[in-house]
Amino acid sequence: RDPNLPSPPAPTVWPTVGFTDVDAGVRFLTEGLGFVVTAMYRNDDGTVQHAEARWPDGGGVMFSSRGRPGSWGSLGPQGVYVVAADATTVDAAYARVKDMPGVEVQRPVHDEDYGSHEFDVRDSDGNLWAVGTYRGT
């Protein structure tokens, strides 16, 4: 991210996922996709009650330990589309994430007819993640 550009606005819509192994989920989000964890609250037993990760180009995702009764993480696999500022961000994220343990490539980097440069992967909990340049209309 260019430090001379203004900071992206705070997210107002938060996709939420659960991870069976939150530490592996954090590695997937940060080392793989390129998110930055900004908050994490663990219970005494080590489960994550609530956590947040920001996407450098704007937006974010909330997550917790999968299966906590009454939590967002108890919903099962989710789908999240992440908008990248440019194609090089998509390519770099794909190069990092495609060979991570537990990651299943659904579609490698490709170009869509509507102009998006993107890829789709499933994490080890079955959450579907797509990263692409399509910003919506």
Side-chain angles (χ1 to χ4, degrees):
R1 171 155 173 76
D2 184 338
N4 297 317
L5 294 176
S7 295
T12 56
V13 176
W14 289 88
T16 306
V17 299
F19 292 114
T20 303
D21 179 343
V22 171
D23 296 320
V26 167
R27 286 189 298 279
F28 171 79
L29 289 172
T30 59
E31 296 170 20
L33 295 180
F35 280 81
V36 176
V37 173
T38 56
M40 185 176 301
Y41 304 94
R42 289 186 187 263
N43 293 330
D44 291 340
D45 66 1
T47 59
V48 173
Q49 179 180 355
H50 172 80
E52 301 171 13
R54 296 287 182 104
W55 180 245
D57 293 336
V61 63
M62 290 183 184
F63 59 98
S64 65
S65 292
R66 166 121 342 158
R68 286 189 326 103
S71 76
W72 287 101
S74 67
L75 294 175
Q78 304 296 312
V80 180
Y81 178 73
V82 180
V83 177
D86 58 57
T88 59
T89 300
V90 174
D91 294 341
Y94 183 72
R96 291 188 306 265
V97 79
K98 67 184 176 68
D99 294 321
M100 291 185 81
V103 170
E104 181 183 327
V105 174
Q106 301 294 296
R107 293 188 306 166
V109 173
H110 61 282
D111 294 317
E112 293 286 359
D113 291 342
Y114 52 87
S116 189
H117 182 72
E118 63 187 48
F119 68 87
D120 307 330
V121 296
R122 283 200 186 278
D123 66 27
S124 59
D125 283 290
N127 298 302
L128 178 63
W129 297 85
V131 178
T133 57
Y134 181 71
R135 291 189 149 327
T137 57

